[in-house]
Amino acid sequence: MSTDVQELFTVRELGCKTEDGTQIFSDVELTLNEGDIVVVLGKSGCGKTTFLKCLAHLNLYTGHIMLHGKTPKSYGVPIYRTKVAYIPQRPPLLPGTPRDFLSAASSFKARRKKVNASMSAEGSEHAIGIASSWGVDTQLWDRDWSNLSGGETQRIALAIGVGLDTAEVLLLDEPTSALDNESYVLKSSESLLKAIVWITHSPEQASRVGTRFLQFADGGSYEESIPPV
Ligand SMILES: Nc1ncnc2c1ncn2[C@@H]1O[C@H](COP(=O)(O)OP(=O)(O)OP(=O)(O)O)[C@@H](O)[C@H]1O
């Protein structure tokens, strides 16, 4: 069926197995609309992190994932991953400091978009400014990733995604409750960001931040119409 309005992000018949062939989940369906904050809920081990990694094209899967009606491969997977950005639960095993990463990401974007050095520096300043408005001390940009707390890492990773204005869909894996307030900033920011998929184990956090609720259970998923209590 063809539609005039192109959907932001669609997931159809998504399935994923472990390396030994055990099915983790199958037939997962999701359509993201602009403004959605979809909270993903379910028991430990049901496949929530794996689901987010599939969405970011970091895991093998069966089925279809489309951003604006196009597959990840048609964007080129590295570019797709800047548009559908996964923010992990634990600090990433990245070498160096957040500032090194920001410089690399910013010059990658500059080359791709053919923007000049001063616009690229503006993006970096924007990221540092956003993080600072979330209480991240500017000194932390020069500390190794491995020496940052989980919350600091997540705020900095988010600020890079929003500041460089590349992410359209953010995939947050169990952000600390300290990030609740940032979700409102993200919703109201004038960035490219259009939707968030957010894993949490906390019903309270889910109710505070979510606009939709996707429950994983029994190897599949279903959408709840009301927040968990
Ligand atoms: N690389 C892997 N190899 C084998 N099994 C894996 C791998 N990654 C995940 N699994 C298994 O897949 C299942 C889903 O894991 P996943 O981390 O997605 O669950 P989760 O719902 O996010 O769990 P939690 O809430 O505890 O973080 C688990 O049984 C896990 O042991």
Side-chain angles (χ1 to χ4, degrees):
M1 190 178 78
S2 75
T3 50
D4 289 330
V5 180
Q6 195 150 79
E7 282 162 339
L8 168 62
F9 189 78
T10 49
V11 176
R12 296 286 173 261
E13 297 175 348
L14 193 75
C16 186
K17 291 179 179 174
T18 61
E19 278 156 27
D20 67 8
T22 310
Q23 193 81 39
I24 303 175
F25 55 77
S26 56
D27 290 326
V28 173
E29 303 269 324
L30 179 67
T31 300
L32 287 182
N33 305 303
E34 195 158 338
D36 282 346
I37 298 186
V38 177
V39 172
V40 180
L41 301 145
K43 286 188 186 145
S44 179
C46 68
K48 302 178 298 295
T49 292
T50 308
F51 172 61
L52 252 54
K53 288 185 172 171
C54 290
L55 299 189
H57 213 75
L58 289 162
N59 227 102
L60 290 176
Y61 58 84
T62 54
H64 309 279
I65 294 175
M66 305 271 217
L67 176 68
H68 301 296
K70 288 167 60 182
T71 63
K73 281 187 181 154
S74 68
Y75 286 96
V77 171
I79 289 172
Y80 171 83
R81 288 194 189 129
T82 65
K83 294 175 180 292
V84 178
Y86 175 66
I87 310 291
Q89 195 173 358
R90 293 181 200 88
L93 296 171
L94 287 172
T97 66
R99 196 181 296 279
D100 297 337
F101 183 80
L102 181 61
S103 306
S106 158
S107 60
F108 173 71
K109 184 187 169 192
R111 279 200 305 278
R112 189 162 57 79
K113 297 238 168 170
K114 298 190 173 64
V115 297
N116 63 34
S118 74
M119 282 171 75
S120 161
E122 233 171 68
S124 297
E125 284 309 312
H126 190 202
I128 292 168
I130 288 171
S132 174
S133 75
W134 294 344
V136 173
D137 193 318
T138 46
Q139 289 176 8
L140 298 183
W141 288 88
D142 298 305
R143 192 183 285 178
D144 277 0
W145 283 106
S146 55
N147 294 329
L148 297 172
S149 76
E152 287 163 351
T153 301
Q154 287 182 329
R155 282 201 195 86
I156 288 176
L158 268 179
I160 292 172
V162 177
L164 293 184
D165 212 8
T166 56
E168 292 190 56
V169 177
L170 273 179
L171 309 171
L172 304 183
D173 198 340
E174 289 188 50
T176 58
S177 57
L179 280 189
D180 286 12
N181 290 336
E182 278 75 326
S183 77
Y184 301 110
V185 176
L186 294 171
K187 269 195 284 191
S188 64
S189 77
E190 290 170 9
S191 71
L192 276 183
L193 185 65
K194 297 188 176 73
I196 303 176
V197 185
W198 179 305
I199 296 177
T200 183
H201 281 116
S202 153
E204 292 77 25
Q205 189 181 45
S207 308
R208 274 197 306 273
V209 302
T211 63
R212 292 169 62 192
F213 307 93
L214 186 68
Q215 183 78 42
F216 272 66
D218 305 323
S221 73
Y222 59 93
E223 207 162 330
E224 304 258 29
S225 53
I226 51 164
V229 281

